[in-house]
Amino acid sequence: MSPAISPLRTIYRTPPYLLPESEARVVEILRKSGPYSRTEIADITGYSRAKITSVVNHLIELQVVEETGEGDSHGGRRPRILNFNAGFGVVAGVDMGATSLDGALANFKGQIIERRSVSIDVRDGPDSVLNCVCALVAEMLRNQEIAAEQLCAVGIGVPGPVEFSTGLLIAPPIMPGWEAYPIRNFIRGVFPSAIVIVDNDVNVMVLGELRAGAGIREENFFFVKVGTGIGCGIVVGGKVYRGSTGCAGDIGHICVDRNGVVCHCGNIGCLEAMAAGPAIAQRAVAAALAGGSPILEKILKANNGTLTAKDVGAAGAAGERAANEIIRESGRMIGEVLASLVNFFNPSLILIGGGVSNIGHQFLASIRRNVLHRSLPLSTRHLRIDYSMIGADAGITGAVYLALDHVFAMKRERAG
Ligand SMILES: [Zn+2]
C-alpha cells in the first residue's frame, strides 16, 4: 500500500470524492477498462491533447492515476501508460447470507487482498450481525497492517429488499428486526472514513458478473439466483437496473400455479414457493414417503426425516428417476417464467447461480428447454443460458465493485 495520502482525502473526510466532469470521466474509463496511453484516452473522450495533459497531470498529483510503464511504439517515442492507482486506498466488500458473512478487502483495482468468512444468523438482528461485519472488516485490516483510515468504502449485499437510495431494508421476509434499520450509520460509526453502500444480494451478484464474471462483455443480461428463494439481477445497457424503488427483478413472487402452495408473502403458487430449495426438498420427502424413490428414502432415514435440495441432486446423480423428475419440474417452472422475461426484455445472456443451481445438469437443461420452447425465435437467436462463471464469488466480487463505484463522483459545475 502506498503510505502517502491523496490531497483528495484531506479535502473530503469521506467519499464521494468530487472531481470535475473531465477528470471524473478519465477516472471512470481507466477504472473500468484501463490501462491506456494519453493518446488512447484522447481517442475515447474526444478531448484535445492539451486538455488530456492537464487532466492527467492533476489526477497524478491527486494520486488517483499513476504512470505504470511504457506501451508499444508506433514509430517515435514509446507512449507512457496510465493506470488507476491501485494503492489509493482500500475498500471492503461484504456478502451477507442468512447464515454466513463473507468479507473481502480489495485494492482500488478491485483485486482482493484478504478474505474471511464467519457463521452468523441474520435472525439475531442487526446489532449483533453488524457488530460481526465490523469485526470482520477490522480483522482483515489488522492482518494486512492497513490503518482503518485507509478504508474508503464498504459495499454490502443483504438477503432482502433494499431501497437503494437510503440503503434501508423494507419488509425483509427472512430478517426480522431489520426493517428500516440504519445499516450505513452503524458501520460509519465504526469506520468514519468510509462511505457505506447497501444493496440487495442479487443486485450485488449481477454487478460481480458484469465487472469480473461472464457478463464482462454483455450489455443486457440477467443473473438468476436459486437458493432458499429466487431472485433476478438485471443489467441494462451495461448498468445494474434496480427499478424505481430498488426491487426490480423480484421474480420469486410471480405466480406459476393458481392451485399451488401458499407462499410466505401470502399469495398462492409463487415461483419461489413452488421451485426453490425448500419446495424441491418437500417434494423429495413426499416422493420418499410414497415409496417411489429408494435412494431418497434411504437418505431420509439417515437424515432423521429431512431432505435438502442437495440430497435430491445426489439422488439424481445416482440415477434416481423420481429425483430427476423433481429437478426437471423445478427447472420447468423457472424456465417458463424466464421465457416471459426473455420475450419482454430480450437479454443476450442468462446466468444461473445460487446454492440450488448445482443440483445436476438436468436443472440447467430443463431451464434451457423451457426458455427456448416458449420464447420468440428472434429473442433466443443469440441468447446463452449458463451457470455463473464466478459461482460463489459473485456476491463478494460484486460487493467490492459496489464499494469502488461510489468512491468518486462528478462535481456539479455551476451553469453559465
Ligand atoms: Zn410469494
Side-chain angles (χ1 to χ4, degrees), residues 252-253 263-267 270:
H253 303 283
C263 176
H264 61 77
C265 75
N267 290 315
C270 293

Side-chain angles (χ1 to χ4, degrees), residues 121-133:
D121 186 341
V122 285
R123 291 171 304 181
D124 289 344
D127 286 334
S128 152
V129 173
L130 293 175
N131 270 323
C132 286
V133 169

